[in-house]
Amino acid sequence: MPAFSFEKISPPVRRAPAASTPKKPRGLISQMIDRLAERRARRALRGERAMRRDGKAAE
């Protein structure tokens, strides 16, 4: 029979919810791509509106 016995100590219970990691700021490249995409979408929308007006006027 061993002279010592070791107890297994359980880790302390967490009572507070785990803090979520703060959102990382968007990179410069991501921001530039977003701006370009937004401008392209606006330009396409303007083009569609012009085509609709031209189509209605020709009828």
Side-chain angles (χ1 to χ4, degrees):
M1 182 175 265
F4 291 87
S5 68
F6 294 96
E7 290 183 28
K8 202 173 201 180
I9 300 173
S10 60
V13 178
R14 288 188 174 196
R15 295 191 179 144
S20 62
T21 57
K23 286 196 173 185
K24 215 175 173 184
R26 293 186 59 118
L28 181 64
I29 295 175
S30 299
Q31 291 175 356
M32 290 173 61
I33 291 172
D34 285 345
R35 287 180 194 156
L36 288 171
E38 185 178 342
R39 288 179 185 160
R40 181 178 284 180
R42 284 183 185 171
R43 201 176 307 137
L45 187 61
R46 260 192 265 145
E48 285 179 14
R49 287 181 184 166
M51 288 164 74
R52 286 181 191 166
R53 278 185 284 175
D54 293 342
K56 287 182 181 177
E59 288 178 10

